[in-house]
């Protein structure tokens, strides 16, 4: 077994993986749970129309939809508009603390911020079944609180990785830490479907109790096992501590002078933001509404629904990893970074959009084809990891964290709006209405392909060279260095971590 697997930094990565898993699981569990929380007949404008549509689909789909499905399922008479608000309410809170979360993590430490955030999210999750039975407005309030707390998570994870991951391991440690998000989607969709059908507390209640309750176990382990920095860890070996500190560089103070005005007028940033926004419209539409579509149009039962809703995210996980290797291979073959970024993002947008529009024309009788098309569509989204997501680092490596915070804040708006648009477009739950939802997604992917595919920039922006007000305790070994030479090298991690390390001594440090 390689020695690095047993190191403290990789134990941290494992805890971050599990933490990322819970962040996603507690976010998306409502997407499946709401299918069996709400009475089937409440989201239609006419019960007679609903009954005839259901009867027709039972016949077409071989009786997969039980005849008792019409009005006896679920506890709540929430119409489509209420369901849409509940699904989108998380993002009202989420977009508020995306940029401030970075300051909080830097000021109080990633350990405290991440642990506190998930404690709040877990508590709100276990309270949701009780308060939902009082008033749906409590559910909206709880989901907004969960969004507020979750908004600080990404910056906190970035902070922990920046302080613990040596330059040569940053991509591996961070990508592993964040892969928990995809597994959170996959696992939650699968098990929530089974819990909805066979769990305790009317099925849907068990989803929130189990996911929230097990998250408390992670929080306890997190506060017990983790330290903010290698210097403050009581479990790390002295050899590993020296390796990490000497590799990263010991920082006394870090104050970035962010060129806000120059960023605001940067063409590269606006192009990247457009791609981020368009991707998130598709992503959040599917993340919040896919289980509902599986039930209303394809008429899968709740167990099949959860399993099949998870398959597209399995494809996304695989494609994102393969796409990263292919992108590096193409650049190694002398294909420009700009062309690689534009190509991958354009293929991602056009492939996903075409598949989603195709889904709108697949009826219940051919529902297996719809699942295949949805899987391919979400798989194409995985190519974005080699497109716009990396692009922040291309044109503004020194401020990649700030840039990602800006684009991610604006691109959280689709999380608020997209579920409500889907609800407004599908009042009668028909295939034709859902086709319009996919048309909207396809329109955004086409816009993103045109803008990013035609105008994406990878050359470093002039404002990236603005002097940085930072002091370091690492001694300079070459005082005669020319004033135009860089005194430090920057190793920028995908997602926005910027590490400053000594340019000569660090490279000779043996790996522990």
């Amino acid at each position: 077994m390689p020695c690095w697997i047993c190191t403290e930094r990789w134990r941290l990565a494992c805890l971050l993986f599990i933490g990322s898993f819970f962040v996603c699981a507690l976010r998306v569990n409502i997407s499946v749970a709401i299918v069996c929380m709400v009475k089937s007949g409440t989201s239609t404008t006419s019960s007679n129309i609903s009954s005839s549509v259901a009867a027709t689909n039972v016949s077409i789909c071989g009786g997969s939809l039980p005849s008792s499905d019409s009005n006896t399922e679920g506890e709540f008479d929430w119409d489509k508009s209420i369901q849409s608000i509940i699904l989108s309410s998380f993002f009202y809170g989420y977009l508020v603390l995306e940029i401030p979360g970075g300051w909080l993590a830097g000021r109080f430490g990633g350990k405290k911020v991440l642990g506190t955030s998930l404690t709040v999210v877990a508590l709100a999750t276990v309270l949701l079944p009780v308060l939902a039975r009082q008033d749906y407005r409590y559910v909206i309030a709880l989901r907004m609180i969960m969004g507020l707390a979750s908004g600080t998570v990404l910056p906190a994870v970035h902070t922990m990785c920046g302080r613990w991951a040596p330059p040569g391991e940053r991509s591996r440690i961070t990508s592993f830490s964040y892969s928990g998000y995809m597994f959170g989607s996959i696992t939650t969709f699968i098990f929530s479907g089974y819990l909805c059908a066979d769990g305790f507390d009317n099925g849907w209640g068990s989803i929130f109790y189990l996911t929230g309750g097990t998250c408390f176990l992670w929080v306890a382990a997190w506060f017990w096992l983790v330290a903010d920095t290698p210097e403050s860890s009581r479990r790390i070996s002295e050899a590993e501590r020296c390796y990490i500190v000497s590799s990263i560089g010991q920082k006394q103070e870090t104050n970035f002078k962010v060129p806000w005005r120059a960023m605001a007028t940067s063409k590269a940033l606006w192009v990247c933001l457009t791609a981020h926004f368009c991707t998130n419209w598709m992503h959040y539409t599917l993340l919040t509404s896919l289980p509902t579509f599986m039930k209303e149009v394809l008429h899968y039962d709740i167990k099949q629904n959860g399993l099949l809703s998870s398959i597209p995210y399995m494809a996304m996980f695989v494609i994102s990893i393969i796409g990263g290797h292919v992108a590096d291979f193409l650049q190694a073959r002398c294909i420009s970074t700009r062309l690689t970024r534009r190509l991958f993002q354009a293929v991602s947008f056009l492939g996903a959009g075409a598949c989603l529009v195709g889904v709108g024309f697949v009826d219940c009788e051919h529902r297996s084809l719809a699942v295949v098309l949805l899987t391919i569509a979400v798989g194409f989204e995985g190519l974005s990891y080699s497109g716009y997501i990396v692009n922040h680092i291309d044109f503004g490596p020194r401020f990649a964290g700030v840039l990602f915070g800006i684009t991610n804040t604006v691109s959280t708006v689709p999380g608020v709006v997209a579920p409500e648009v889907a609800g407004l477009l599908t009042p009668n739950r028909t295939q034709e209405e859902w086709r319009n939802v996919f048309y909207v997604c396809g329109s955004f992917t086409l816009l993103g392909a045109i803008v990013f595919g035609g105008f994406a920039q990878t050359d470093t922006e002039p404002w990236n060279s603005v002097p940085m007000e930072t002091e370091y305790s690492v001694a300079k070994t070459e005082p005669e260095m020319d004033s135009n030479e860089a005194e430090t090298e920057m190793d920028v991690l995908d997602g926005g971590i910027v590490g400053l390390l000594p340019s000569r001594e660090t490279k000779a440090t043996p790996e522990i």
Side-chain angles (χ1 to χ4, degrees):
M1 177 183 294
C3 62
W4 53 265
I5 293 180
C6 301
T7 58
E8 194 65 22
R9 61 189 181 274
W10 275 95
R11 294 190 190 101
L12 170 67
C14 291
L15 282 171
L16 287 174
F17 173 91
I18 300 171
S20 297
F21 170 91
F22 279 115
V23 169
C24 186
L26 300 183
R27 178 193 297 189
V28 305
N29 54 16
I30 189 74
S31 299
V32 178
I34 201 167
V35 174
C36 49
M37 291 171 70
V38 179
K39 295 180 181 180
S40 299
T42 61
S43 60
T44 63
T45 57
S46 170
S47 59
N48 292 331
I49 294 175
S50 175
S51 299
S52 64
V53 170
T56 302
N57 283 312
V58 166
S59 176
I60 293 175
C61 298
S64 62
L65 183 67
S67 59
S68 60
D69 186 79
S70 58
N71 282 299
T72 57
E73 293 181 356
E75 299 181 35
F76 307 109
D77 293 314
W78 297 339
D79 60 25
K80 270 283 187 178
S81 62
I82 293 176
Q83 294 178 51
S84 298
I85 294 172
I86 289 173
L87 290 173
S88 63
S89 57
F90 175 94
F91 300 98
Y92 284 102
Y94 186 70
L95 60 83
V96 173
L97 294 182
E98 191 70 35
I99 296 177
W103 180 86
L104 290 171
R107 174 67 177 82
F108 300 104
K111 173 183 176 178
K112 295 184 181 67
V113 172
L114 185 56
T116 302
S117 296
L118 277 179
T119 300
V120 173
V121 175
L123 181 61
T125 300
V126 296
L127 289 176
L128 193 146
V130 176
L131 295 182
R133 293 184 171 107
Q134 304 301 315
D135 196 306
Y136 74 88
R137 285 179 281 263
Y138 289 133
V139 179
I140 295 173
L142 286 175
R143 293 290 296 177
M144 291 180 67
I145 292 170
M146 292 170 66
L148 279 169
S150 298
T152 65
V153 168
L154 282 176
V157 174
H158 285 335
T159 300
M160 296 298 293
C161 289
R163 293 177 177 178
W164 277 89
E169 300 177 24
R170 281 177 174 168
S171 294
R172 282 178 285 165
I173 288 177
T174 306
S175 61
F176 177 75
S177 300
Y178 278 106
S179 62
Y181 279 93
M182 296 181 195
F183 278 104
S185 297
I186 294 167
T187 307
T188 303
F189 277 134
I190 293 175
F191 286 99
S192 293
Y194 285 95
L195 288 172
C196 250
D198 302 320
F200 59 89
D201 193 23
N202 234 10
W204 63 267
S206 62
I207 297 174
F208 299 104
Y209 290 131
L210 291 178
T211 54
T214 52
C215 184
F216 282 119
L217 299 178
W218 177 88
V219 170
W222 175 258
F223 279 116
W224 180 41
L225 298 173
V226 170
D228 275 310
T229 63
E231 297 92 328
S232 61
S233 175
R234 295 175 295 176
R235 302 176 181 275
I236 192 174
S237 68
E238 191 60 32
E240 184 183 4
R241 190 198 319 271
C242 291
Y243 168 60
I244 296 174
V245 171
S246 62
S247 297
I248 296 176
Q250 192 135 357
K251 305 174 185 178
Q252 289 182 334
E253 181 182 350
T254 302
N255 294 309
F256 291 98
K257 183 179 179 181
V258 180
W260 296 107
R261 182 176 299 177
M263 284 183 178
T265 58
S266 170
K267 173 184 173 182
L269 176 58
W270 283 100
V271 170
C272 192
L273 188 151
T274 301
H276 200 159
F277 187 95
C278 293
T279 298
N280 275 12
W281 187 282
M282 174 184 67
H283 179 77
Y284 287 134
T285 296
L286 294 179
L287 195 65
T288 57
S289 303
L290 186 56
T292 303
F293 171 75
M294 290 281 190
K295 177 184 179 182
E296 293 183 351
V297 176
L298 304 185
H299 293 288
Y300 282 106
D301 65 46
I302 193 62
K303 293 181 181 179
Q304 295 171 312
N305 190 332
L307 175 61
L308 294 172
S309 294
S310 71
I311 292 176
Y313 297 96
M314 297 180 190
M316 182 180 176
F317 174 74
V318 174
I319 295 298
S320 65
I321 295 176
I322 295 176
H325 287 285
V326 173
D328 288 341
F329 173 80
L330 291 177
Q331 293 179 67
R333 294 288 178 177
C334 299
I335 296 178
S336 69
T337 302
R338 179 183 299 180
L339 178 59
T340 301
R341 297 285 180 260
R342 291 182 177 186
L343 176 64
F344 271 70
Q345 194 59 56
V347 171
S348 174
F349 276 134
L350 295 177
C355 290
L356 287 179
V357 171
V359 169
F361 291 89
V362 180
D363 57 23
C364 181
E365 188 176 4
H366 303 92
R367 57 187 183 172
S368 296
L369 176 59
V371 174
V372 172
L373 289 174
L374 285 167
T375 300
I376 297 173
V378 178
F380 271 117
E381 187 185 343
L383 295 178
S384 294
Y385 285 88
S386 301
Y388 82 87
I389 292 178
V390 187
N391 190 228
H392 302 81
I393 302 172
D394 294 328
F395 64 82
R398 289 176 62 181
F399 304 101
V402 176
L403 294 169
F404 190 83
I406 293 171
T407 64
N408 201 36
T409 298
V410 177
S411 300
T412 301
V413 173
V416 178
V417 179
E420 296 193 24
V421 170
L424 290 172
L425 292 176
T426 58
N428 298 308
R429 309 182 300 165
T430 65
Q431 178 191 356
E432 290 74 17
E433 291 174 342
W434 276 99
R435 187 179 300 161
N436 293 328
V437 174
F438 295 126
Y439 277 147
V440 174
C441 290
S443 299
F444 275 103
T445 59
L446 179 59
L447 173 63
I450 293 172
V451 173
F452 195 90
F455 303 100
Q457 303 294 316
T458 56
D459 295 335
T460 303
E461 292 285 276
W463 44 261
N464 186 69
S465 301
V466 172
M468 194 160 33
E469 302 171 359
T470 309
E471 297 180 3
Y472 296 91
S473 62
V474 178
K476 302 171 188 168
T477 59
E478 298 183 20
E480 71 281 1
M481 183 180 295
D482 186 90
S483 61
N484 293 326
E485 286 189 66
E487 295 180 357
T488 56
E489 294 176 359
M490 306 194 75
D491 181 15
V492 184
L493 175 66
D494 180 17
I497 301 174
V498 178
L500 294 170
L501 57 149
S503 61
R504 301 303 193 273
E505 299 86 354
T506 300
K507 293 181 179 178
T509 306
E511 181 175 350
I512 303 299

